[in-house]
Amino acid sequence: MTNEIHTYGGYNVGCMLGTAYQTLVAELSESLSKAGLDVTAAEYLVLRALYDKDGMQQCDIAALLCKDKATISRCVRNMESKGLVTTELVSYKCLKVYTSEKARRIEPAIMAVAAARHVALTELLTRHEMETFVNVLKKIISNH
C-alpha cells in the first residue's frame, strides 16, 4: 500500500518513508554491483560500521544500525562466506566481527560508490530542502 494519499485523508507517510528507504537501498545495491563489488546494501552498512570501529560485537552493530540481532547475524554469516569479515567467539551468544584483508582492500571502492550515491541523493534537493528533510527525520526518530 504505497498510495500517497491514504483513505483516512492524510499522506501515508510511513509507506512513503518505507518506499523511499527501499528505493535508496536498491539503488545502492545496484551501484555496488555495477562497480563489480559483491557487497549488498545491508553488507555495506555493516562494513561502514566496522570501518569506523573494527571488532564490534554483533549486538552493538544491530543497535547501531537499528536492526534486529537475527538480521545482523545472517548478514555477518553471508559476509563471512564472501571473505569480507572474520568473527571471534566472545561467548556462546556473542561474536566480535572484524573486517578481512579483502574488505579493507575494497574499502576505497565501496566508499566511492556510497559517496556517489550520496551526491545523487543530495542533488535531488536544494540545500534548504535537505536541511528541512534532515530536521524532520531527526524529529521523527527522536520521538520514538
Side-chain angles (χ1 to χ4, degrees), residues 116-126 129-130:
R117 292 301 322 137
H118 179 76
V119 168
L121 174 61
T122 57
E123 287 178 345
L124 291 174
L125 306 172
T126 66
E129 288 171 331
M130 182 59 77

Side-chain angles (χ1 to χ4, degrees), residues 47 51 54 84 98-108:
L47 285 172
Y51 289 148
D54 207 15
L84 296 171
Y98 298 91
T99 54
S100 68
E101 182 180 318
K102 175 182 177 179
R104 288 188 298 276
R105 189 175 60 250
I106 63 173
E107 179 181 4

Side-chain angles (χ1 to χ4, degrees), residues 2-111:
T2 59
N3 297 337
E4 190 170 298
I5 302 291
H6 193 271
T7 55
Y8 54 72
Y11 288 100
N12 196 340
V13 176
C15 284
M16 291 172 72
L17 282 171
T19 300
Y21 174 75
Q22 291 302 323
T23 300
L24 293 173
V25 166
E27 288 173 352
L28 177 59
S29 288
E30 184 179 337
S31 295
L32 289 164
S33 178
K34 282 182 179 178
L37 298 163
D38 185 20
V39 177
T40 66
E43 292 165 349
Y44 158 76
L45 292 173
V46 172
L47 285 172
R48 180 80 187 255
L50 293 172
Y51 289 148
D52 289 340
K53 185 179 177 190
D54 207 15
M56 291 179 70
Q57 293 183 15
Q58 281 186 169
C59 56
D60 295 331
I61 296 169
L64 178 68
L65 300 179
C66 299
K67 302 286 185 186
D68 63 82
K69 294 174 191 172
T71 298
I72 296 301
S73 179
R74 281 189 302 274
C75 186
V76 167
R77 277 196 309 272
N78 287 339
M79 294 171 72
E80 201 167 18
S81 71
K82 291 180 178 183
L84 296 171
V85 298
T86 60
T87 59
E88 174 186 314
L89 190 62
V90 175
S91 71
Y92 77 99
K93 281 185 151 184
C94 185
L95 288 177
K96 279 192 173 183
V97 185
Y98 298 91
T99 54
S100 68
E101 182 180 318
K102 175 182 177 179
R104 288 188 298 276
R105 189 175 60 250
I106 63 173
E107 179 181 4
I110 290 171
M111 299 311 285

